[in-house]
Amino acid sequence: MIHFDEMACLLYLEGQLEPARAREMALHVGECGECSTLLHALERESHVLSAALTEDNEAMPARLLSTRSWGVPSWVWTLAFGVFAFGAYWLWADSVDPWLQRLSNAGFGGTDFVSMLLFSGAFWEGWSYMIDVLQVVAVVLVGVAAVGLLRRRVRRPTAIAVIMSVLALALAVPQRAAATEIRREESVLVPATEVIHSDLIVSGASVRVDGTVEGDLIAFSGTLTVTGHVTGDIIAFAGQMRMEGTVDGNIRVISHSLSVDGSVAKNVAFIGSTFDLTERGQVGGSLITINTDADLDGHIHRDLLGLISRTSLDGGLGGQMMVRGKSLRIGATGEIGGRATFRGSRKPVIAPGAKLASPLQIVSQEEHRRELFEAIRVMINEIVGFGVALLLGILLVTVLPGFFHATLRETGRIGAPIGVGALALLTGIFLLALGILLMFVGVGAGVAGVLAYAPILYVAQIFVGAWLGNKILGEASSTTGAVIMRIALGLVILHAAGLIPFLGGLIWLTVGLWGTGAVLLGFYRMSRTDEIVTLPA
Amino acid sequence: MNPADQASELELIAQARAGNAEAWGELYRRFAPAIFRFCRRAMHTREDAEDATMDIFIKVRQKLSQFDSSRPFSAWLYTVAANHCWDLLRRRKGRQDLETGEIENMPLEHPDPGQLEQLIEKSTSQEVRRALDQLPSRARMALVLRYYADMSYDDVAATLGVRRAFVGVVLLRARHQLREILGGRGVVAGGTS
């Protein structure tokens, strides 16, 4: 007797067998003990499986049942961000900055990280910038990798926020374990004989530090005078500040005026009105400033980066000078050890005795205007490019929704479309080379290839943009408006990111490969018809 | 579900769609335990199940406007949950599981009905659950979708991304793997065909 196989028995039990075959089986089972036993065993197996899966269900944890677990409370993020910023600051001040200084001492030069953020557009120059950019990219990649790894283990946002906070604290705490002293009075005086063995946070109308602070000095005051010794940084928000003592770290100040008549071992960052570096004044690192008037009679060992309306330099500058403002005067005693650039409306005045390592580069108002026009042109190009891409996206969503969604799904697979895109690029290059080799045969094919490839390359950004929009705003509902909004957001981000020097090129290359691969895969999916498969009897 | 409950459920969904947080909270309280139990069966660890439950409801909240109210809400919810869990498992495991083509070509040995009955009789629910935990993701998911969530072959096919005609093959293959774990390789195979 020919028996039914196990597959047919299972499909029969589950009501999936064609009616004619099911009738045949019903008749057969009545006569065949072996098939009947198998059928019975399979049925029992189904029951056992269902029972095993439904029995002994674990209860849902009560904390998940609470609707409060719905969103991460905003204070968690605020706290996490605050603590993270705090940790990042310490990491910068105590690890990255000294490392950069060591690099600088080793002869690699370099601008400050903050200056890179503030002045990157204006002062794009050479290797030092590259080092900084690579450093930022490395830090960002480490951060992304850390979050990725954390997400695999701990997926709850609250837990991630807490872990990030703890990490940030872990970075900060070992270096500043001591307690902080806080003083809040109308007039605060730290006498010359007093030594504070911790950070000092101080606020008052008048603050004077003649003694020693073995840590950071953080001040909020009308007038701040430091004649003593601060072994850490000074961070101050003051009406007027005068520093006549010694600071082993950095000075970061927002105030109306700042006068440095003492010694600062690291950098000075100042935002305010007037800055005065007296003849006695020494800055071991760089001066970064946005202010109205700067009189620099003392010595700055590294760079000067500034948006300064009026600059007067009679002292020494060990590194580069990059200043944008109205006027610049370099006195007879002025010295600049590195490259010097000035962008301003008035012609700089350089006294005959001034010592400059290289001639002062002057970017005139006209050149400045030309640069501005160029920047505007680039912006208009970007806006037009964005508009065209968005229109194309709208067209795709409304006219070819099937293709659009299929390609968007492929875009979400990330690895596969990038691989296919890279392969397509390599194939394109190969065909181009072959075309050039074969000359006459290749011209037509090459032109046709380019004509086909160029639109795909352009459309690529729409899908990567839509994917990005989905990631930020959540997957779009079926409404066209929501999809278009996501495309628009993604395109804005891509076009903005594309403007970043160096990185922008890499971003567009990735977008090109990724999107092209997705479009090609989308075409493939759309062209594939589902084969009809019949099961063996 | 009686018509009154169904009406109240639809009312809740409509309110939640309109942005009513209370209504959404009530929907969540009503359905989250079932979805958690499903996730617990589909995912390997309790933590994964908790996270998946939260993620599923975040997704459901975003997609609520897409829900077709002529269908039962719970069925839609299970579909979203199944897709999410399978997505997670697939992403984590990569492509370790067998592809459709390989399943198609995999020979399935005919079991000895008597030995199969014996094996089923002596296996306790706890042993079956432990064996389920050892199954590859696709096999485990297929069994959970069919014998826990009671999904149709169409829905199982859509979730696992296989053709409908292969659902039976996937299920049978999963059963074979389960039997191998329960009884030791080859114990129940080798009968006549």
Side-chain angles (χ1 to χ4, degrees), chain B residues 77-91:
Chain B
L77 206 53
Y78 270 114
T79 308
V80 176
N83 284 329
H84 181 80
C85 290
W86 177 236
D87 238 27
L88 279 178
L89 290 169
R90 205 175 37 176
R91 254 186 281 158

Side-chain angles (χ1 to χ4, degrees), chain A residues 62-83:
Chain A
R63 67 185 159 75
L64 284 191
L65 261 180
S66 153
T67 43
R68 278 181 58 209
S69 34
W70 260 102
V72 182
S74 57
W75 64 265
V76 172
W77 288 112
T78 312
L79 182 72
F81 179 77
V83 176

